[in-house]
Amino acid sequence: MNATIRTAIATALVLGVAGGPAVAHSAPPPPSASTAVGAPAARTGPTAPTAPTAPTIATPPDAVALRAALAGVGAGGKDATAALVRVGGASGGWRGAAGVADVRTGRAALEQGRFRAGSVTKTFTAAVVLQLAAEGRVDLDAPVRRYLPAAFPEAFKADPTVRQLLNHTSGIRAADGPGDSFEAQWEHRFDVTDPREQIANALAKGQEFDPGEAQHYLNINYTVLGVLIEKVTGTSYESSVAQRILRPLGLGGTSFPGRTQTRIQGPHNHGYQAVPRPDGTRELRDVSVWNSSDRWAAGDIISTTADLERFTVALFSGRIVPRARLEEMFTVPAVDDFVTGKKAVLTAGMSRIVLPDGTEAWGKTGGRHGYTTGMGATRDLSRTLVYSVNSTDAKGPDTNPVALGVVMAAFTE
């Protein structure tokens, strides 16, 4: 793998892209149904026939490269204590699990274990908003203030639209938190956060830039969208996602912990953060128990690799969001990133990677302490990937080497 491709993938993963023995499995071709779940079938209509095209990735997954990517994962692993991988597509599939579920007991990692999927939550949130747009209940070009007038004070002069929240071009600043360091967040791990208080805190700071002028990836955009979903539907955010996506797709391993739940319900691999000691060694601190209410509609979902694979296939197939609205998830705004100055890569709920060989993949990554997650695919579903890596520095500035190796093995021929 040349350095150019490695750097391209690592950069994309940092920006938030869908970014033991291993057994190979066959995978059926993706379904082609065009009716979106959670919405009336009549609103979607049939999909026009298209001429067959060559698949983006035609070769089966490289089992040797995928196994190599998981080498070294375990209780003594530098970068990860466990890893779960599912690769699929029309040309075949591959599944693998490595490492331990608990470093104290050395119990083998659970292939069907649940995990905190972090910002992958944003893809679910965006899908619900786009369903509401398809139903005529939300206008993507309307100012958010139309739906949440009480949340936007007169002092906040900017008027971002719903679409600008979806693609992170709203110009709303981040809400305050306990701090960026692990220890600061650890001390506040049981805090319960109210999303409306976060929104008030962020808006009181004034705009960061004029809406639509730049892209800045911030959780606050999706916190506002979570409140918007509640206002429009008259139900809780969690209920809306469950009714529209989780139950119709049978995603029984996917859930939201709610504001007070701190434990991962059901079988799971423990997550750990490597904390340096004064003598130069490190402590693997168990971070599995944590209150995620500060992330809420932006990042508190719990799921499994099987559920996220099913969700990815259904989403890309037009079975969750009607195809006309689905284009929002594959449309990158023509602006620059506010932080890096480079061209934007984020869409409504996802992100784009274009590899040097021209291969284009779409998806979402997420990170919570102890857990690094990714889900994504080529648009034609010739290759899909979901992974959960129990990273020992999941919120660090660099891409986890195990996750990077898995993505390279899955998406490059």
Side-chain angles (χ1 to χ4, degrees), residues 201-278:
N201 175 272
L203 295 180
K205 300 177 181 181
Q207 68 197 70
E208 188 170 53
F209 52 81
D210 288 338
E213 286 198 349
Q215 186 174 80
H216 193 181
Y217 179 70
L218 293 173
N219 286 332
I220 192 64
N221 291 299
Y222 277 69
T223 301
V224 177
L225 287 172
V227 174
L228 182 149
I229 288 170
E230 293 192 331
K231 182 66 177 294
V232 172
T233 63
T235 62
S236 71
Y237 164 77
E238 294 85 353
S239 294
S240 290
V241 178
Q243 292 168 8
R244 291 170 168 271
I245 299 176
L246 305 189
R247 286 200 284 272
L249 290 180
L251 306 185
T254 302
S255 63
F256 292 89
R259 293 185 62 197
T260 59
Q261 179 60 252
T262 60
R263 296 184 179 275
I264 300 174
Q265 299 299 305
H268 61 278
N269 300 315
H270 286 241
Y272 299 90
Q273 172 73 24
V275 180
R277 297 189 179 106

Side-chain angles (χ1 to χ4, degrees), residues 6 105 137 144 226 236 330 370 385:
R6 187 180 184 90
T105 65
R137 301 173 70 182
V144 185
S236 71
F330 297 99
L385 169 66

Side-chain angles (χ1 to χ4, degrees), residues 63-77:
V64 173
L66 287 162
R67 280 194 291 267
L70 301 184
V73 172

Side-chain angles (χ1 to χ4, degrees), residues 12-354:
L13 291 176
V14 168
L15 289 172
V17 163
V23 183
H25 301 265
S26 310
S32 58
S34 61
T35 299
V37 300
R43 292 188 181 274
T44 306
T47 302
T50 57
T53 58
T56 301
I57 297 178
T59 59
D62 187 339
V64 173
L66 287 162
R67 280 194 291 267
L70 301 184
V73 172
K78 176 179 179 294
D79 302 305
T81 57
L84 312 175
V85 178
R86 293 176 75 97
V87 183
S91 62
W94 186 91
R95 299 175 192 171
V100 297
D102 187 331
V103 299
R104 295 178 299 104
T105 65
R107 185 165 49 100
L110 304 170
E111 186 175 350
Q112 303 302 324
R114 299 176 183 182
F115 49 83
R116 300 189 189 279
S119 286
V120 168
T121 308
K122 292 182 177 71
T123 313
F124 287 78
T125 303
V128 172
V129 173
L130 293 174
Q131 283 186 359
L132 293 171
E135 295 164 16
R137 301 173 70 182
V138 170
D139 181 350
L140 300 184
D141 292 316
V144 185
R145 200 185 301 264
R146 175 190 296 179
Y147 303 99
L148 302 173
F152 281 74
E154 289 186 12
F156 189 80
K157 300 302 183 184
D159 219 7
T161 66
V162 177
R163 177 179 281 107
Q164 289 164 343
L165 290 177
L166 285 166
N167 63 26
H168 297 281
T169 61
S170 71
I172 299 176
R173 296 180 186 271
D176 293 328
D180 293 332
S181 73
F182 167 73
E183 290 296 351
Q185 294 180 35
W186 172 259
E187 291 300 318
H188 291 270
R189 67 191 182 280
F190 297 131
D191 289 0
V192 177
T193 304
D194 187 306
R196 288 162 181 80
E197 291 179 0
Q198 284 185 308
I199 294 169
N201 175 272
L203 295 180
K205 300 177 181 181
Q207 68 197 70
E208 188 170 53
F209 52 81
D210 288 338
E213 286 198 349
Q215 186 174 80
H216 193 181
Y217 179 70
L218 293 173
N219 286 332
I220 192 64
N221 291 299
Y222 277 69
T223 301
V224 177
L225 287 172
V227 174
L228 182 149
I229 288 170
E230 293 192 331
K231 182 66 177 294
V232 172
T233 63
T235 62
S236 71
Y237 164 77
E238 294 85 353
S239 294
S240 290
V241 178
Q243 292 168 8
R244 291 170 168 271
I245 299 176
L246 305 189
R247 286 200 284 272
L249 290 180
L251 306 185
T254 302
S255 63
F256 292 89
R259 293 185 62 197
T260 59
Q261 179 60 252
T262 60
R263 296 184 179 275
I264 300 174
Q265 299 299 305
H268 61 278
N269 300 315
H270 286 241
Y272 299 90
Q273 172 73 24
V275 180
R277 297 189 179 106
D279 62 1
T281 60
R282 68 175 190 167
E283 166 199 357
L284 283 181
R285 190 177 300 176
D286 194 324
V287 292
S288 310
V289 179
W290 203 291
N291 185 295
S292 296
S293 61
D294 63 327
R295 297 299 190 265
W296 192 48
D300 75 345
I301 203 168
I302 291 170
S303 194
T304 67
T305 55
D307 275 10
L308 290 183
E309 181 181 63
R310 180 178 294 183
F311 172 71
T312 300
V313 173
L315 181 67
F316 281 51
S317 300
R319 294 170 50 219
I320 297 176
V321 177
R323 289 190 183 278
R325 291 296 181 179
L326 187 59
E327 285 303 311
E328 296 285 342
M329 303 188 95
F330 297 99
T331 301
V332 179
V335 297
D336 293 336
D337 184 274
F338 181 75
V339 177
T340 67
K342 298 179 180 179
K343 294 297 182 183
V345 297
L346 302 169
T347 72
M350 293 201 296
S351 185
R352 177 180 65 191
I353 300 178
V354 180

Side-chain angles (χ1 to χ4, degrees), residues 1 5-13 19 69 372 385 387 389 398-412:
M1 186 63 56
I5 294 178
R6 187 180 184 90
T7 300
I9 296 177
T11 301
L13 291 176
T372 296
L385 169 66
Y387 64 81
V389 174
D398 300 320
T399 303
N400 179 272
V402 177
L404 176 58
V406 167
V407 175
M408 290 195 303
F411 281 108
T412 56

